[in-house]
């Protein structure tokens, strides 16, 4: 049976618990263990699919079609293990399932309560689908003391009691703030947080203390003493220069060694961190740089495009260049058309990412036009591909070309999809139906045209599988009109009905994809589309 590592956070949110979980997973993996990482989200949404990216950051989509927390993206990028439906749960989903069971009469007259029914459901989720994993890491969202997280803490407490004594370890991530006026690091918030956790019946084995200044040995001992943890298990975690240096940094501070020691494992070989050394070498020693414009909507919050940001970095790693991302709110191009040349002329590549809603769409279409006319490498993702198609349609003379997502239109170059084939058979949706969980979600295959740019990018294969998250689709009825403008449909769904990829053969690099390649890019395996796009941007930078 797998061993369990429960990861909780204290003092404040945004301490990088997700990255810590991902790094610990990567370190255990580098020692030869098989790991899975799960996220427990205490909020009441069934999944983050309906939340604004400004509220919650990006929605990460798994191969099996779950809309999940963005931390699952960190887990995948750091461990290479594809996340699944069974790796993310929310209070909303637990309650939805329990209430459905109650309505069916499955509780046979019992009173349905948080303990045991909610806590049992959480425990079942933690224990499900263990496979042959050595470790399952469970990260609990939020901060200890939150009302919402109480059932999750209680479920951990029970599991720690029910599983074997050496089968679970608790890691608590806290903050050791620096008070400038006193010139000191303060341990009191950590003491309080551990006390709060202890009051819920959970004694941490390892403390990861986030700090902006080095933690003096005396403070480390003080934390150990007050928090009833071995001094070596108080791991200082200074801010890292890059997320990709976190695994090596935490290893140097003893995180994985201490977690294993808490399990009673003291004979594990040192981790093989060669691939992390290669990634950090490429990251910190670039041989050049390029600047990419990302023309989107949620540009005020970097987390809203987390995977995209990382995939662009990976494209840079593949080409040994630094990628500067110039985030542009598409709406600014709608107010003053002159801005566009000022903003986009210095760019070595233009990317229009995924998005929802009409706001900024004309600015995105204008950016596509700029990239096409000026031969600047262009990459359109999901909504970005749809905008590239509308741009081509308008150039062909279809002036009213639009998407039904933006309102009724006489020229639906992009329209709602209500039927498509999946592995489970025909999927159908109604226009105007529920918004949650009803998009075309998860991995779907696409067939690539021979001799196309896209098939060369993927190394000559003719069939690929990529993750999707969309409700609208380029309308194949406009194919001839678009191809007459030089925008070729070079990838289709296997049944030939849904356009998956468009490209311009007469342009240095112009590709639109209906899927989200950024979700599958990893630092050790940069996605070929991002590696190719950045290579084209490097070429473009040579023209400057
Ligand atoms: N809003 C578009 C759709 O639903 C694009 C979605 C996306 O970019 N992820 O089809």
């Amino acid at each position: 049976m797998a061993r369990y590592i429960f990861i909780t956070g204290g003092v404040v949110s945004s301490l990088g618990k997700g990255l810590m979980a991902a790094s610990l997973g990567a370190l255990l993996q580098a020692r030869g263990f098989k790991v899975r990482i799960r996220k427990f989200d205490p909020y009441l949404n069934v999944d983050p699919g309906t939340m604004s990216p400004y509220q919650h950051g990006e929605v990460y989509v798994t191969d099996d079609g779950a809309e999940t927390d963005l931390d699952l993206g960190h887990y995948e990028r750091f461990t290479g293990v594809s996340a699944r439906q069974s790796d993310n749960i929310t209070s909303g989903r637990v309650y939805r399932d329990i209430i459905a069971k109650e309505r069916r009469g499955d509780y046979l007259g019992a009173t349905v309560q948080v303990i045991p029914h909610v806590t049992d459901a959480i425990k079942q989720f933690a224990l499900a689908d263990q496979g042959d994993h050595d470790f399952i890491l469970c990260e609990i969202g939020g901060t200890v003391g939150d009302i919402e997280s109480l059932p999750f803490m209680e479920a951990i407490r029970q599991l720690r009691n029910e599983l074997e004594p050496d089968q679970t370890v608790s890691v608590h991530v806290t903050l050791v703030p620096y008070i400038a006026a006193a010139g000191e690091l303060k341990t009191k918030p950590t003491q309080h947080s551990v006390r709060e956790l202890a009051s819920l019946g959970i004694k941490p084995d390892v403390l990861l203390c986030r700090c902006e200044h080095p933690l003096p040995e005396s403070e480390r001992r003080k934390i150990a003493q007050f928090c009833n943890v071995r001094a070596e298990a108080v791991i200082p975690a200074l801010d890292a220069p890059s997320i990709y240096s976190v695994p090596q940094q935490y290893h140097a501070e003893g995180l994985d060694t201490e977690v294993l020691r808490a399990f009673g494992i003291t004979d594990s070989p040192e981790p093989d961190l060669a691939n992390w050394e290669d990634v950090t070498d490429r990251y910190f020693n670039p041989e050049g740089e390029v600047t990419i414009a990302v023309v989107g909507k949620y540009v005020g919050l970097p987390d809203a495009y987390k995977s995209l940001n990382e995939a662009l970095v990976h494209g840079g790693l593949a080409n040994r260049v630094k990628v500067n991302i110039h985030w542009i709110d598409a709406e600014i191009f709608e107010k003053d058309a002159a801005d566009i040349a000022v903003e986009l002329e210095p760019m070595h590549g233009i990317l229009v990412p995924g998005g929802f809603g009409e706001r900024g769409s004309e600015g995105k279409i204008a950016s596509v036009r700029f990239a096409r006319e000026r031969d600047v490498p262009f990459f359109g993702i999901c909504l970005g591909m749809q905008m590239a198609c509308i741009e081509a349609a308008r150039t062909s003379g279809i002036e009213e070309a639009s998407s039904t997502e933006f309102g009724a239109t006489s020229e639906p170059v992009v329209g709602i999809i209500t039927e498509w084939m999946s592995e489970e058979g025909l999927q159908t949706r109604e226009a105007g139906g529920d918004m949650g969980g009803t998009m075309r979600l998860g991995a779907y295959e696409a067939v690539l045209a021979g001799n196309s740019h896209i098939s060369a990018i993927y190394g000559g294969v003719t069939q690929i599988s990529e993750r999707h998250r969309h409700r609208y689709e380029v309308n194949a009825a406009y194919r001839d009109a678009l191809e007459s403008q030089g925008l070729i449909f070079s990838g289709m769904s296997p049944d030939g009905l849904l356009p998956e990829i468009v490209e311009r053969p007469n342009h240095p690099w112009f590709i639109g994809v209906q899927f989200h390649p950024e979700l599958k890019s990893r630092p050790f395996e940069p996605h070929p589309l991002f590696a190719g796009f950045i290579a084209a941007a490097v070429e473009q930078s040579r023209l400057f």
Side-chain angles (χ1 to χ4, degrees), residues 354-356 381-383 386 405 439 469-472 516:
F356 293 84
I381 295 179
C382 208
L383 186 72
Q386 298 173 356
E405 182 174 6
M439 281 187 260
R469 181 172 187 250
H470 63 121
R471 186 169 279 117
Y472 299 84
H516 289 273

